[in-house]
């Protein structure tokens, strides 16, 4: 039974693809949400992150305050690497557990994990297939300006800071080009899902 990772750059259309897969019946795991959970006081990264960055990152209620941790790691590439080296393996383990729980509960459909940083975090081993969503810089800039109000130069700076799509492609089994309309994307995903069901059976 297949486990599919959906990845891609900022504004490429990952969430839209995942939403369509959800509508088609795929169980979905959102890596961002998993990330939030592991920082929680009962989560697996809580103690290690405080040990690494000190109690100064805590809010008064004892939770890790992302607004305090963020500036530390974004100002220092080594600190970010360190944080990632703590958090990414724990996210991997948690996602594997969630996949196993779904299977143990009788889930037979392909399971889909949406993970923007799938390749950067080295999570490839979790997946049978990696689906890469790609859109041209022009389309991304235009969509992000329209839907999130970011200026073109802000979006372009974010694109430059990310892993290039050429690199993502090396790890991907399926490349989904999202330069057309939403309806075209929906159609592509319906087709890809049908084919995935065949591989899954
Ligand atoms: P991020 O990683 O930045 O959260 P994402 O890869 O999940 O982004 P989406 O949120 O799915 O991308 O898409 C970015 C924006 O572009 C959304 O507002 C979405 O509605 C819109 N969008 C996605 N695909 C298309 C399309 N084919 N045509 C028009 N708009 C689109």
């Amino acid at each position: 039974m297949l486990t599919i990772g959906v990845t891609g750059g900022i504004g490429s259309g990952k969430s839209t693809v995942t939403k369509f897969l959800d509508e088609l019946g795929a169980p979905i795991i959102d890596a961002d949400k998993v990330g939030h959970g592991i920082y929680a006081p009962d989560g697996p990264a809580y103690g290690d992150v405080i040990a690494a960055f000190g109690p100064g990152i805590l809010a008064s209620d004892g939770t890790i305050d992302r607004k305090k941790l963020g500036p530390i790691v974004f100002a220092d590439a080594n600190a970010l690497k360190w944080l990632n080296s703590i958090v990414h393996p724990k996210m991997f383990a948690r996602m594997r557990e969630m996949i196993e729980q779904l299977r143990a509960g009788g889930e037979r459909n392909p399971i889909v994990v949406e993970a923007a940083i799938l390749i950067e975090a080295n999570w490839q081993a979790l997946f049978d297939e990696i689906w890469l969503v790609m859109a041209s810089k022009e389309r991304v800039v235009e969509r992000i300006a329209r839907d999130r109000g970011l200026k073109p130069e802000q979006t372009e700076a974010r694109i430059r800071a990310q892993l290039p799509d050429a690199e993502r492609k090396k790890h991907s089994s399926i490349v989904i080009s999202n330069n057309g309309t939403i309806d075209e994307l929906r159609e592509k995903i319906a087709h890809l899902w049908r084919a995935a069901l065949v591989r899954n059976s």
Side-chain angles (χ1 to χ4, degrees):
M1 277 171 284
L2 292 179
T3 306
I4 299 168
V6 173
T7 194
I10 174 178
S12 57
K14 298 176 293 295
S15 305
T16 310
V17 164
T18 306
K19 187 187 81 180
F20 293 154
L21 289 168
D22 179 36
E23 288 167 7
L24 289 161
I28 308 289
I29 295 171
D30 179 343
D32 272 354
K33 284 196 191 136
V34 172
H36 282 109
I38 67 156
Y39 283 96
D42 59 351
Y46 180 79
D48 287 352
V49 171
I50 297 168
F53 295 97
I57 61 165
L58 292 176
S60 54
D61 63 358
T63 57
I64 292 174
D65 187 344
R66 298 280 196 115
K67 289 194 202 79
K68 290 181 177 159
L69 182 57
I72 299 173
V73 294
F74 290 118
D76 177 354
N78 282 326
L80 180 60
K81 258 194 196 156
W82 193 16
L83 178 65
N84 286 343
S85 73
I86 297 169
V87 166
H88 289 170
K90 295 192 190 298
M91 288 177 71
F92 181 96
R94 178 69 191 123
M95 290 188 288
R96 190 168 52 192
E97 208 174 82
M98 290 168 82
I99 292 164
E100 283 166 6
Q101 279 167 3
L102 280 167
R103 292 298 179 214
E107 180 59 62
R108 304 191 64 79
N109 266 336
I111 294 171
V112 171
V113 180
E114 181 189 347
I117 56 164
L118 193 161
I119 296 169
E120 295 86 330
N122 203 23
W123 290 334
Q124 294 90 317
L126 206 54
F127 305 106
D128 301 297
E129 300 185 355
I130 295 173
W131 293 13
L132 171 63
V133 189
M134 276 178 46
S136 69
K137 189 168 80 181
E138 291 69 27
R139 287 288 93 76
V140 171
V141 164
E142 177 187 295
R143 290 170 186 165
I144 296 281
R146 181 194 65 199
D147 299 339
R148 297 183 202 163
L150 275 194
K151 294 199 183 88
E153 54 272 26
Q154 291 175 301
T155 305
E156 281 168 17
R158 290 185 193 193
I159 294 172
R160 277 196 304 275
Q162 289 184 335
L163 192 71
D165 274 337
E167 202 51 45
R168 290 195 181 98
K169 250 185 179 172
K170 291 182 194 165
H171 302 268
S172 304
S173 17
I174 290 179
V175 176
I176 302 162
S177 164
N178 181 25
N179 289 318
T181 65
I182 287 274
D183 283 341
E184 280 165 352
L185 182 63
R186 189 193 298 273
E187 186 102 352
K188 269 187 197 176
I189 298 308
H191 177 78
L192 283 171
W193 178 248
R194 282 194 296 274
L197 288 179
V198 174
R199 290 193 297 279
N200 189 54
S201 61

